[in-house]
């Protein structure tokens, strides 16, 4: 039966569910173009990404694929050229300067690769954790100072570095400094933690401790954690690894526990809303696929073949 005019009208004016719905992080067709000396570099080329609240996600990709650009956008440090970037319902493209400052102080926490960038060397671990709470303002007074100190000590305890409370950065190991950095990032109870190569300067044993601390923050405090990494150890221990290639999400690896407790990892190509997907470069090279491919729909899959050589006329 044909719809009535009023049904059509209701459909046209009805609220469409936006891409990603009310997910915690939504990037929709995100573009970031850098212009330097008249040359344009397209660092993000229409990237789509949806991350739910409380997820722990690793982002991997070759050097120059756009990982840091994405993290800078999500942290509110950089503004994308076009598209949608939404975190905790806040629109990162249209935010004014005041909201951006508030966003950076209390919605998101950041951990850099260089330990020296995360901590002030002349403050103790406890004072470093107290600092963002002081900067966020609010009432002053002895009881506020006491509650800041208590929160700092709780966070250091949670992350296994309570013994470092009175030490300054040069008196701590690299791994301890990064765990204190996580406490600093958590100080103002952010909803999201972003970490750019947090274990890049550490050996594998120390990396594992830092990664455990990030996992503890995710599990115990429910904070969403996004880690950019080259470290296979990190990407093996998260539920979801998102691969970025040429400024777009290209693959996702999902990990789940099998019936006998073994970890099963399955890699998927990412299909965007209009049906585009990136074939892995080594697959394309192996079959010398270039420019066009032939597709065939089967009952349960789609076959992709190299374009047929046209028979020559001579
Ligand atoms: N400020 C900038 N000005 C011009 N081009 C830039 C700028 N920042 C990044 N780019 C370019 O954008 C692209 C993506 O860079 P980005 O730093 O996001 O990659 P990445 O995946 O984080 O790399 P790496 O793993 O080496 O840190 C690269 O081609 C890079 O040269």
């Amino acid at each position: 039966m044909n719809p009535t005019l009023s049904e059509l009208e209701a459909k046209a004016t009805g609220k469409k569910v936006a891409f990603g719905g009310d997910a915690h992080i939504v990037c929709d067709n995100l573009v970031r173009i850098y212009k330097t000396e008249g040359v344009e570099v397209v660092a993000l080329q229409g990237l789509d990404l949806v991350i739910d609240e409380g997820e722990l996600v690793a982002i991997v990709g070759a050097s120059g694929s756009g990982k840091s650009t994405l993290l800078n956008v999500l942290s509110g440090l950089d503004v994308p050229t076009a598209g949608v970037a939404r975190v905790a319902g806040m629109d990162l493209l249209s935010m004014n300067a005041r909201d951006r400052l508030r966003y950076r102080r209390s919605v998101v926490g950041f951990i850099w690769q260089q330990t020296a960038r995360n901590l002030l060397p002349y403050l103790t671990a406890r004072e470093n954790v107290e600092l963002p709470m002081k900067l966020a303002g609010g009432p002053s007074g002895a009881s506020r100072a006491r509650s800041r100190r208590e929160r700092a000590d709780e966070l250091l305890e949670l992350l296994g570095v309570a013994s470092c409370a009175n030490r300054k950065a040069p008196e701590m190991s690299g791994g301890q400094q990064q765990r204190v950095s996580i406490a600093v990032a958590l100080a103002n109870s952010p909803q999201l933690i972003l970490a750019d190569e947090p274990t890049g300067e550490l050996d594998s044993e120390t990396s594992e401790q830092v990664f455990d601390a990030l996992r503890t923050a995710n599990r115990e405090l429910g904070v969403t954690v996004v880690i950019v990494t080259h470290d296979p150890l990190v990407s093996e221990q998260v539920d979801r690894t998102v691969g970025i290639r040429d400024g777009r999400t290209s693959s996702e690896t999902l990990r789940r526990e099998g019936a006998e407790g073994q970890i099963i990892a399955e890699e998927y190509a990412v299909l965007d809303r209009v049906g585009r997907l990136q074939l892995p470069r080594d697959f394309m090279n192996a079959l010398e696929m270039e420019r066009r491919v032939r597709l065939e729909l089967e009952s349960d899959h789609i076959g992709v073949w190299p374009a047929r050589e046209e028979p020559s006329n001579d």
Side-chain angles (χ1 to χ4, degrees):
M1 204 172 69
N2 287 336
T4 65
L5 193 58
S6 57
E7 277 168 348
L8 284 173
E9 247 170 27
K11 202 172 164 192
T13 54
K15 221 174 149 196
K16 284 205 185 99
V17 177
F19 174 72
D22 56 359
H24 207 196
I25 301 178
V26 179
C27 297
D28 182 3
N29 214 354
L30 198 61
V31 176
R32 175 64 169 106
I33 301 173
Y34 293 109
K35 284 196 189 116
T36 33
E37 292 161 10
V39 180
E40 287 191 352
V41 178
V42 189
L44 299 178
Q45 321 200 16
L47 178 136
D48 293 337
L49 179 68
V50 175
I51 295 179
D52 287 327
E53 192 165 2
E55 267 197 276
L56 172 64
V57 174
I59 301 207
V60 297
S63 182
S65 55
K67 305 181 300 291
S68 300
T69 305
L70 172 65
L71 230 52
N72 284 340
V73 167
L74 294 178
S75 67
L77 278 172
D78 189 21
V79 186
T81 313
V84 172
R86 222 171 38 237
V87 176
M90 299 177 83
D91 179 353
L92 301 186
L93 273 89
S94 65
M95 221 182 242
N96 62 27
R98 216 184 62 199
D99 286 345
R100 191 167 290 278
L101 188 66
R102 195 173 63 81
Y103 175 80
R104 301 207 41 221
R105 278 203 180 142
S106 55
V107 179
V108 70
F110 208 89
I111 299 146
W112 303 94
Q113 173 176 353
Q114 304 84 351
T115 47
R117 209 166 158 186
N118 292 319
L119 301 175
L120 290 173
Y122 49 85
L123 296 182
T124 64
R126 180 187 293 121
E127 287 163 347
N128 265 290
V129 184
E130 286 173 331
L131 188 63
M133 298 187 249
K134 279 187 192 159
L135 291 175
S140 53
S143 81
R144 290 292 301 168
R146 201 168 42 245
S147 68
R148 278 200 298 265
R149 188 190 163 104
E150 278 168 11
R151 173 153 180 81
D153 286 345
E154 272 168 25
L155 287 171
L156 293 171
E157 174 83 43
L158 179 75
L159 302 170
V161 276
S163 60
C164 299
N166 293 315
R167 288 196 228 162
K168 294 177 182 163
E171 298 154 3
M172 291 185 261
S173 71
Q176 286 169 334
Q177 288 181 43
Q178 284 306 63
R179 283 187 280 162
V180 173
S181 305
I182 300 171
V184 173
L186 288 167
N188 286 328
S189 310
Q191 301 183 35
L192 168 67
I193 290 278
L194 301 169
D196 196 354
E197 294 278 4
T199 58
E201 291 184 347
L202 307 174
D203 61 50
S204 60
E205 198 179 319
T206 318
S207 295
E208 201 164 330
Q209 292 167 358
V210 171
F211 184 67
D212 272 346
L214 283 167
R215 222 172 12 194
T216 303
N218 170 254
R219 221 179 22 225
E220 303 282 320
L221 308 174
V223 59
T224 308
V225 179
V226 179
I227 310 167
V228 159
T229 185
H230 280 107
D231 185 347
L233 186 88
V234 173
S235 50
E236 269 169 27
Q237 292 186 55
V238 294
D239 298 335
R240 186 151 74 106
T241 303
V242 176
I244 295 196
R245 203 174 95 194
D246 301 334
R248 282 206 189 126
T249 40
S250 63
S251 66
E252 284 203 15
T253 304
L254 303 183
R255 281 177 194 76
R256 59 186 169 84
E257 214 169 289
E260 275 131 42
Q262 78 282 27
I263 299 296
I264 302 171
E266 280 168 317
E267 188 174 335
Y268 295 86
V270 174
L271 188 66
D272 78 7
R273 276 178 302 156
V274 293
R276 280 178 300 214
L277 60 81
Q278 268 187 323
L279 296 176
R281 200 157 276 151
D282 47 340
F283 285 20
M284 287 164 49
N285 291 344
L287 297 177
E288 294 179 15
M289 288 175 166
E290 256 181 76
R291 291 193 54 225
R292 53 174 89 91
V293 291
R294 200 159 49 81
L295 301 178
E296 226 158 85
L297 178 65
E298 304 289 345
S299 61
D300 62 346
H301 71 276
I302 296 169
V304 183
W305 284 266
R308 216 182 272 129
E309 286 285 316
E310 295 301 332
S312 72
N313 291 330
D314 39 61

